[in-house]
Every structure is written in structure tokens, then in C-alpha cells.
Amino acid sequence: MLNEFKTFISRGNVMDMAVGIIIGAAFTAIVSSLVEDIINPIIGLFIGGIDLSGLGISLGEGEGAGFLAFGNFLMAVINFLIVAWAVFMLVKGVNSVKNLAAGAEEAPEEEADPEPSEKDILVEIRDALTARNG
């Protein structure tokens, strides 16, 4: 059983997933700081210095009254959009690098067998007609 566990844990996809989770946690901390320390103050500047995370509606009066904290929800939505945008840009960058690498691998094949131009085809037709009629 221990050997099966060693085999499972040493597979590439398990290690890749572990690295992804660790980097994702660190990335979350960076994005949270970006939202809380940079974006929230800028948004607060435009709406008169109000801290969005503190926005909400009291659902009653007194100590036991509930509080609908829609400001926290708004911040969570902004945080999600920033993370989604960052992941989109990351995936787009990785795909661009893959496409460049794939293009570099295919380039020598294209150079070895270039597609003939219209002029080259017309010259071949002319030569074939001249040889047949000549």
C-alpha cells in the first residue's frame, strides 16, 4: 500500500496540481491585497471616501438586529472579476507562448516546401505550353 501511495504521489499530474494549489493560494493573497489596498481606496475616492466593505442595511433596531452587508459581497464580486481577468491574461499569455513555439517548430517545414506564387504557376503553364507546341 505504501508503494502504491508513492507511485500515486510521484505522478506528474499530482505534483502539478499541488504546485498549482500552492501558487493559487499565494496568488489569492496578492489579489486580495490589490483589491483591499489599491482598488477599494480608489473606488472610495470616487464615491466620497466611503469604504465599500462596510456598506449594508440594518434589518431592524437594537442589539440583535441583522445586518445585510452588501458591501462585502460587492468586494467579493470585484475580487472575483480581478482574479478571473488575471487568470484569463495568464492563460492567454501561455497560449501565445505555445503558439509561438509551435510556429517555430513548423517554420523549417514551411521553408523547405514553400507554396508557389501565382507568377510561378503561370511560368510553369507557359513553359508546358511552349514545350508542347514547340
Side-chain angles (χ1 to χ4, degrees):
M1 185 129 165
L2 186 59
N3 286 333
E4 287 178 323
F5 179 72
K6 286 180 184 177
T7 302
F8 169 77
I9 204 70
S10 65
R11 286 185 185 161
N13 55 359
V14 173
M15 297 305 285
D16 292 344
M17 184 179 66
V19 169
I21 289 170
I22 292 168
I23 290 176
F27 187 68
T28 300
I30 291 171
V31 171
S32 294
S33 176
L34 174 68
V35 171
E36 293 170 10
D37 301 330
I38 296 174
I39 293 178
N40 283 354
I42 293 172
I43 292 173
L45 180 68
F46 287 112
I47 61 172
I50 299 172
D51 181 17
L52 292 179
S53 62
L55 293 178
I57 298 172
S58 180
L59 299 176
E61 293 189 27
E63 240 178 81
F67 187 74
L68 185 64
F70 61 83
N72 286 336
F73 176 74
L74 183 59
M75 287 294 88
V77 169
I78 291 171
N79 192 0
F80 168 77
L81 291 174
I82 292 170
V83 169
W85 178 257
V87 169
F88 168 74
M89 294 305 290
L90 180 68
V91 169
K92 187 174 179 177
V94 168
N95 287 341
S96 295
V97 170
K98 281 183 181 180
N99 290 340
L100 287 174
E105 291 174 3
E106 294 175 3
E109 293 176 12
E110 291 177 8
E111 292 174 9
D113 190 29
E115 188 173 321
S117 68
E118 184 178 340
K119 182 179 177 182
D120 294 334
I121 293 171
L122 290 173
V123 167
E124 286 181 27
I125 293 171
R126 181 199 65 200
D127 293 345
L129 289 173
T130 303
R132 198 171 78 169
N133 292 334

